[in-house]
Amino acid sequence: MNKLLLLIASIVMAGCRTTQTGYVSVGNGGQLYYEERGQGEPMILLHGHSLDTRMWDEQFKVFAKDFRTIRLDFRGYGQSSSQSETEQFTHVDDVLVLMDSLHITQAHVVGLSMGAFVAGDMLAMYPERLLTCVLTSGGIRNSPGPSEPMDSAECARRDEEIAALKAKGIDQYKREWIDQLMASGGSKKERMRPPLQRMISDWTAWQPLHKEVRLFYGKEAWNKLRQRGKTNVPTLIIRGENELKGKRGEPGELRWLSNGRYVVLPDCGHMLNMEQPKVFNETVSGFCKKYK
């Protein structure tokens, strides 16, 4: 019996240390790439614009010690399928398809920047799918949602922006974008330059070169949140001190959260999980463990 228990324990531990990869089918033949590691309550990591699963390299194995941790590439990024200018979908609904495919009813959802826009959509539109929500360097967007498609004036502005970007050159655009992501960093910001350069070099840059559909619920999510009244999903909002540039006041989402917390991490900026991974990991893991 003892040998059997040891064998079972070794199998379980091996599963915790092994990363599984796969694809999940989404709308119109699309595919989402994901990676999974660890056991326990599910935790889903949502990446930022122009990046991919690799931005979570210093979180993935750490969180997998306590959670069934899943990171994915959004449609149009990394190893997932491409976007189009005509197919309407939202990133949050793709995440729900992934959850359903992996038989996940609820999860701890951690998003940064664009990933926080997606996590914010879930908080407002689908709070029943959340165990906790962590909004880092972003939140619910104040932008038109899918029910308000792009009009002719906005199409014309985008055409001008795309033409200007093509004239500048995509390589120059990427260099400027890396500088922008680095700009608010603190004393350790140079540690994140090499991984940012690798991810952005691999990025197709399809999004700034095309007219995207409405990928976030945005204003529709805000309306839903206000109509519902305060939600009780445990929510942690994190900002980097340097990103705030001296601005005071709490994020607007807190007014609609009965169980919300706001934390400002010192000596870091927008990409704080890559810049200050130890303090970020401790902050997020400690918060989510409270609600296991």
Side-chain angles (χ1 to χ4, degrees):
M1 177 63 73
N2 288 340
K3 289 183 178 179
L4 177 60
L5 290 175
L6 286 172
L7 176 61
I8 293 172
S10 66
I11 292 171
V12 169
M13 290 303 295
C16 291
R17 294 192 297 266
T18 303
T19 298
Q20 301 176 18
T21 65
Y23 287 87
V24 165
S25 296
V26 287
N28 289 342
Q31 296 281 311
L32 286 188
Y33 172 79
Y34 73 93
E35 298 177 356
E36 179 177 344
R37 188 181 181 97
Q39 296 184 337
E41 289 184 343
M43 173 182 283
I44 301 176
L45 307 177
L46 307 178
H47 68 79
H49 170 62
S50 76
L51 308 176
D52 54 54
T53 56
R54 290 174 291 178
M55 70 161 276
W56 299 111
D57 278 353
E58 294 188 89
Q59 284 73 50
F60 188 49
K61 291 182 180 180
V62 174
F63 291 157
K65 294 175 183 177
D66 299 296
F67 301 93
R68 177 189 175 190
T69 305
I70 297 152
R71 57 179 178 178
L72 66 138
D73 288 334
F74 289 122
R75 209 185 312 192
Y77 298 88
Q79 299 182 64
S80 292
S81 57
S82 59
Q83 298 172 229
S84 78
E85 291 187 337
T86 56
E87 180 190 353
Q88 176 59 60
F89 71 96
T90 65
H91 287 314
V92 70
D93 288 303
D94 276 358
V95 173
L96 293 182
V97 171
L98 174 71
M99 291 176 67
D100 291 342
S101 298
L102 298 180
H103 308 291
I104 296 172
T105 303
Q106 292 181 304
H108 303 275
V109 174
V110 181
L112 187 146
S113 193
M114 183 181 77
F117 302 157
V118 181
D121 275 354
M122 188 177 290
L123 179 65
M125 306 296 289
Y126 309 108
E128 70 280 0
R129 303 303 300 267
L130 290 162
L131 292 170
T132 64
C133 184
V134 180
L135 305 175
T136 307
S137 298
I140 303 174
R141 283 174 63 95
N142 188 29
S143 60
S147 66
E148 188 180 341
M150 196 176 293
D151 59 20
S152 58
E154 187 177 356
C155 282
R157 288 195 300 272
R158 283 295 296 130
D159 285 335
E160 292 177 0
E161 292 167 355
I162 291 166
L165 174 55
K166 288 180 177 179
K168 174 188 291 187
I170 197 63
D171 289 340
Q172 178 61 27
Y173 171 82
K174 286 185 175 184
R175 286 191 290 270
E176 292 176 359
W177 178 239
I178 291 170
D179 289 342
Q180 187 174 335
L181 291 177
M182 296 281 297
S184 63
S187 62
K188 297 183 179 180
K189 69 179 181 181
E190 285 303 320
R191 73 184 310 278
M192 63 184 182
R193 187 182 295 275
L196 284 176
Q197 288 176 328
R198 286 192 292 271
M199 285 185 282
I200 294 173
S201 176
D202 293 341
W203 174 46
T204 65
W206 186 93
Q207 294 78 14
L209 291 168
H210 293 81
K211 294 191 281 286
E212 290 187 284
V213 297
R214 305 298 196 202
L215 299 172
F216 312 98
Y217 282 101
K219 291 180 179 179
E220 296 173 34
W222 274 114
N223 290 337
K224 191 77 171 180
L225 195 65
R226 294 177 183 122
Q227 290 167 8
R228 184 183 293 110
K230 288 197 173 185
T231 180
N232 62 358
V233 174
T235 302
L236 174 64
I237 301 176
I238 308 175
R239 298 288 185 272
E241 179 183 36
N242 297 356
E243 183 181 25
L244 296 175
K245 298 178 181 178
K247 294 180 182 178
R248 298 184 178 181
E250 296 183 334
E253 290 89 348
L254 281 177
R255 288 176 292 182
W256 305 99
L257 301 173
S258 58
N259 195 3
R261 182 184 172 203
Y262 177 43
V263 173
V264 177
L265 300 186
D267 191 27
C268 57
H270 189 71
M271 299 301 304
L272 49 89
N273 75 302
M274 297 175 66
E275 187 179 4
Q276 293 278 8
K278 187 175 185 293
V279 66
F280 176 84
N281 295 351
E282 291 172 350
T283 301
V284 172
S285 182
F287 178 79
C288 293
K289 283 180 181 178
K290 289 181 179 179
Y291 300 97
K292 288 185 69 173

